Amino acid sequence: MDGSEAAFRAIYDAHERRIYHFALYLTKSPAIAEEVVQEAFIRLWERRSMLAADSQLGAFLKKIVQNLVLDLYRKAARDRSLLSHIREQREALERQGSEPLLQKELQRAYREALEQLPPQQRAVFLLSREEQLSYQQIADHLGLSRNTVRNHMSEAIRSVRQYIHHHTGLACLLLAFILQEKN
């Protein structure tokens, strides 16, 4: 690949449909498959200088798609695990009649997690989660590239998830302990 946009366009046109159908087969979701294909071609473009002229681009793109889909499934499993943990903590406190305290504690942890984010990540996160804007709308609004928005969002989600996971577990256990002592 000579690194020119024209060459990249030719490669995209030659492989996009086949790679999309492969991603669709793996994900069973047209929207997710489109995102995966876009990311695969972004990664191909970023690695264009490392590819030999005789590279099997179709196979290389399929491998990128496989890795991206695996990453998505791993992330989904982590998200399910975190939600399960939060649900278990909430149910334990509900059994003790502590729903309002739990909600307050989770909201506090969420606000603190957001305060820990760098300003631009926080802005991207809030526009996505609270204003329900798409990545492209956020990019246009903030004057960033869509890829930068995606990267900020990925980092923000990871940071918020880690903060809440580390802080709510302890806070919920302390709250449960305090409430048990009152009884």
Side-chain angles (χ1 to χ4, degrees), residues 51-152:
L51 296 173
D54 61 346
S55 293
Q56 295 292 323
L57 293 178
F60 185 70
L61 283 165
K62 284 180 89 173
K63 189 64 175 171
I64 291 173
V65 167
Q66 282 177 323
N67 289 336
L68 289 169
V69 171
L70 276 174
D71 289 346
L72 282 172
Y73 286 139
R74 287 181 188 126
K75 180 184 176 295
R78 284 191 310 269
D79 288 348
R80 278 192 302 273
S81 174
L82 176 61
L83 287 174
S84 175
H85 174 73
I86 290 171
R87 194 174 301 117
E88 287 169 8
Q89 293 290 327
R90 193 182 105 233
E91 288 170 358
L93 289 171
E94 281 177 354
R95 286 190 295 273
Q96 297 172 2
S98 312
E99 179 67 22
L101 291 172
L102 174 64
Q103 290 296 341
K104 189 175 180 179
E105 181 61 29
L106 288 174
Q107 283 297 328
R108 182 195 59 75
Y110 176 71
R111 283 190 310 275
E112 287 176 0
L114 292 179
E115 289 171 12
Q116 303 294 320
L117 295 174
Q120 199 162 35
Q121 274 185 18
R122 183 173 42 246
V124 168
F125 185 86
L126 292 172
L127 287 170
S128 174
R129 296 298 192 225
E130 294 185 9
E131 301 295 325
Q132 303 294 312
L133 297 181
S134 70
Y135 286 2
Q136 189 60 53
Q137 290 170 320
I138 295 168
D140 294 342
H141 181 73
L142 296 177
L144 302 171
S145 74
R146 186 178 180 285
N147 198 34
T148 300
V149 168
R150 182 183 49 78
N151 290 340
H152 279 319

